Amino acid sequence: MASDSPAVAEATKEAEPPPGGPGGGRGERRVSPHHRTYLKYRFVAGFLAVPLVLYGVLVVSPFFQTFYYSLTDWTGLSSDFAFVGLDNFGRLMEDEIFRKALWHNVLLLLVLPVITLGLGLFFAFMLNVGGRHRRGEAVAGVRGSRFYKIVYFFPQALSIAIVVVLWKYIFNPAGGLLNGILSAVGLGEWQQSWLGDPRLAFWCVVVVMVWANVGFYVVLFSAAMGSIPREIYEATLLDGAGRTTTFFRVTLPLMRDTVQTGWVYMGIMALDAFAVVHILTVNAGGPAYSTIVAPVYLYNKAFQDGQAGYATAVAVALLIVTMVFSVAAMAFGRSKDRIEF
């Protein structure tokens, strides 16, 4: 009979429970949950081992080296140095130039994100929602909004060094574009030595940094606004809300996470500002230290004055300020009442 075939007999044999009952006999190997977890994580660790080692050597290790060198009198030019403890940090507390540099970084931290993100939000809202109402559409962007986004984003396609050199020629008091325009429109008395005046040089740095970064946030915020459902705007307009109310009551709350990310990014950039200050200003931080920032002061101490140990102490102080800002910004931006759509 067909039921007596070898294949059926083998299948019947496999279907029978093992000796010793349902729990299995001595011949069955039982794998514990702990062993299965070990096997799973061993497999994952096999893939992560090499990247973690590289990250530790190339990223984490330099941080510990920086902390160590900040406790020495290393010149950066010799392998001989002595351990001085917290003397470098004591010097920082008494260093007037360092305090001025750190204050400029804090001032950039207060001013730069507000201006840059404010302009980015304004231009993005105007491009996406500020157009005339069209038939069948509750909201509409201005005509040619795609072209305007390309124009705003153009500085991002240039190296920051090129941007700063261009603005250096614009601010040039002798034949610069800015003074030339003022003279051409009959405002010659407004001509200034922009980068040579301690009262104006810092604000010239702010102008350059805002101009170089606002286009990126116009595109970023435009993408965030484009993801907001049009039905929400339609309901708002039916309630009689204007554009200002729509922005503060609808658009901005729905873009909270994007704005928070931009705020952290701009804050970290404000705590750096090395390239702009080093290339744009007189003597990399002048005149009279009116534009000096902590990274430029660190560079001068390490590579011009031969005080690498003291420079690493400046780096540690700047790292602490940056971490405090990042944690505060993330904590302040955290909201329990998250709006989803």
Side-chain angles (χ1 to χ4, degrees), residues 188-206:
E189 65 276 6
W190 287 16
Q191 293 180 348
Q192 303 287 337
S193 178
W194 302 99
L195 297 175
D197 190 339
R199 300 170 301 175
L200 301 175
F202 178 81
W203 300 108
C204 292
V205 172
V206 173

Side-chain angles (χ1 to χ4, degrees), residues 30-299:
R30 301 182 62 185
V31 180
S32 66
H34 297 290
H35 186 68
R36 282 196 295 267
T37 303
Y38 165 74
L39 294 176
K40 180 179 68 174
Y41 283 105
R42 186 182 66 176
F43 177 77
V44 175
F47 283 96
L48 295 180
V50 175
L52 287 176
V53 170
L54 291 176
Y55 184 83
V57 172
L58 301 178
V59 179
V60 178
S61 175
F63 278 99
F64 287 101
Q65 292 179 6
T66 300
F67 280 107
Y68 173 71
Y69 286 127
S70 67
L71 304 176
T72 68
D73 61 354
W74 184 41
T75 63
L77 304 175
S78 172
S79 59
D80 298 329
F81 54 85
F83 186 81
V84 297
L86 299 176
D87 290 354
N88 288 329
F89 295 97
R91 285 179 57 191
L92 285 180
M93 299 298 101
E94 301 174 358
D95 192 336
E96 183 179 352
I97 300 177
F98 170 73
R99 292 202 299 266
K100 183 178 292 187
L102 191 59
W103 164 245
H104 288 156
N105 278 115
V106 173
L107 189 57
L108 285 174
L109 180 62
L110 298 175
V111 173
L112 193 62
V114 173
I115 299 177
T116 305
L117 300 183
L119 290 175
L121 285 169
F122 174 76
F123 289 133
F125 187 74
M126 290 295 100
L127 290 177
N128 291 274
V129 186
R132 295 181 178 179
H133 296 298
R134 301 171 189 173
R135 182 175 299 179
E137 295 184 7
V139 293
V142 299
R143 295 185 182 276
S145 59
R146 293 183 179 179
F147 172 76
Y148 293 132
K149 292 176 185 177
I150 295 174
V151 172
Y152 285 129
F153 193 77
F154 176 73
Q156 296 295 315
L158 301 176
S159 167
I160 186 62
I162 296 175
V163 171
V164 176
V165 169
L166 289 174
W167 275 95
K168 192 169 185 176
Y169 282 108
I170 292 174
F171 287 129
N172 191 340
L177 179 63
L178 184 55
N179 279 347
I181 292 176
L182 292 175
S183 177
V185 298
L187 298 175
E189 65 276 6
W190 287 16
Q191 293 180 348
Q192 303 287 337
S193 178
W194 302 99
L195 297 175
D197 190 339
R199 300 170 301 175
L200 301 175
F202 178 81
W203 300 108
C204 292
V205 172
V206 173
V207 168
V208 174
M209 295 187 71
V210 169
W211 184 87
N213 292 283
V214 69
F216 173 79
Y217 292 100
V218 170
V219 176
L220 177 66
F221 293 151
S222 294
M225 291 179 188
S227 66
I228 299 176
R230 296 291 176 176
E231 292 79 5
I232 298 178
Y233 287 116
E234 292 176 358
T236 305
L237 294 175
L238 288 175
D239 290 339
R243 285 197 175 101
T244 303
T245 304
T246 301
F247 175 77
F248 286 103
R249 295 297 182 90
V250 177
T251 306
L252 194 56
L254 293 176
M255 293 176 53
R256 184 186 184 93
D257 292 340
T258 306
V259 175
Q260 179 185 356
T261 303
W263 191 280
V264 173
Y265 182 75
M266 281 304 304
I268 295 175
M269 184 175 296
L271 291 172
D272 181 13
F274 173 81
V276 177
V277 173
H278 193 267
I279 300 174
L280 182 68
T281 59
V282 178
N283 297 325
Y289 299 110
S290 60
T291 59
I292 191 73
V293 290
V296 173
Y297 186 62
L298 182 157
Y299 175 87

